[in-house]
């Protein structure tokens, strides 16, 4: 807005115009942030899709155990390796143990317990038994994740 005369706008009008300009600026900023979030969400979906595709091609699954919640999250490929569908819910440490071949449970527990005592990364080869009875050989590598206070907050592999 402009005027041809000096001091054409009153101080009240200037305050109203400044408020309107601030509101417009705020709205544009909100729209821009929404666009950035949408673009970031789309990029994340694309990358997750590519990760799932790479895991399926390589037959390598991944998992993550959150120590605070006790929730064990498996990738789609990890579900497939164990003979589950991704829709079969969140897994737990106990459910993971249930897949380990009975003859391998003690060895796996020895390796994982030793690593847990020092929060050391580990790897272990063992057999699993799928729901349909098929025996599979798997190799698992795991590493601890630490928080800002250097305390373990999770394990992933």
């Amino acid at each position: 807005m402009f005027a041809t005369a000096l001091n054409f706008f009153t101080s009240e009008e200037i305050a109203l115009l400044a408020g309107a300009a601030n509101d417009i600026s705020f709205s544009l900023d909100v729209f821009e942030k929404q666009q950035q979030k949408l673009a970031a969400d789309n990029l994340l979906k694309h990358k997750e899709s590519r990760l799932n595709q790479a895991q399926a091609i390589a037959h390598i699954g991944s998992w993550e155990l959150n120590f605070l919640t006790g929730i064990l999250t498996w990738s789609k490929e990890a579900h497939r390796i164990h003979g589950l569908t991704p829709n079969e819910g969140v897994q737990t440490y106990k459910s993971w143990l249930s897949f380990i071949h009975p003859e391998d449970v003690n060895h796996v527990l020895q390796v994982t317990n030793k690593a847990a005592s020092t929060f050391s990364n580990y790897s272990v080869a063992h057999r699993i038994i799928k729901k349909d009875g098929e025996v599979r050989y798997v190799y698992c590598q795991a590493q601890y994740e630490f928080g800002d206070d250097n305390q373990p907050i999770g394990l992933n592999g």
Side-chain angles (χ1 to χ4, degrees):
M1 299 189 70
F2 72 94
T4 56
L6 189 60
N7 297 322
F8 178 81
F9 297 106
T10 66
S11 59
E12 292 84 18
E13 291 171 326
I14 292 172
L16 284 173
L17 290 170
N22 285 337
D23 290 346
I24 291 169
S25 176
F26 176 79
S27 296
L28 290 173
D29 192 40
V30 168
F31 290 142
E32 176 66 23
K33 287 180 181 176
Q34 286 175 336
Q35 289 298 323
Q36 290 173 353
K37 183 182 180 323
L38 182 61
D41 288 347
N42 287 338
L43 180 61
L44 180 60
K45 285 178 186 175
H46 176 75
K47 288 184 177 191
E48 285 177 353
S49 173
R50 291 296 176 250
L51 174 61
N52 287 334
Q53 184 181 36
Q55 286 189 357
I57 291 168
H59 300 296
I60 296 175
S62 61
W63 54 269
E64 184 177 319
L65 174 60
N66 182 317
F67 290 160
L68 299 175
T69 64
I71 294 175
L72 178 62
T73 305
W74 287 4
S75 69
K76 288 180 181 180
E77 187 64 13
H79 275 90
R80 192 196 64 73
I81 289 168
H82 287 80
L84 302 172
T85 66
N87 300 333
E88 289 190 66
V90 176
Q91 301 304 311
T92 64
Y93 178 77
K94 186 177 178 180
S95 66
W96 169 71
L97 284 176
S98 73
F99 285 98
I100 299 174
H101 192 286
E103 294 175 10
D104 296 348
V105 169
N106 286 337
H107 172 66
V108 171
L109 289 176
Q110 286 175 345
V111 170
T112 58
N113 289 339
K114 182 179 178 185
S117 69
T118 59
F119 304 119
S120 302
N121 299 340
Y122 67 89
S123 61
V124 61
H126 62 88
R127 293 169 291 175
I128 62 169
I129 303 176
K130 292 174 39 179
K131 283 177 119 177
D132 65 4
E134 179 187 345
V135 175
R136 287 196 166 169
Y137 291 82
V138 297
Y139 176 74
C140 176
Q141 288 182 277
Q143 61 185 32
Y144 282 87
E145 182 180 351
F146 297 90
D148 293 337
D149 60 357
N150 217 22
Q151 293 299 309
I153 58 171
L155 186 65
N156 57 67

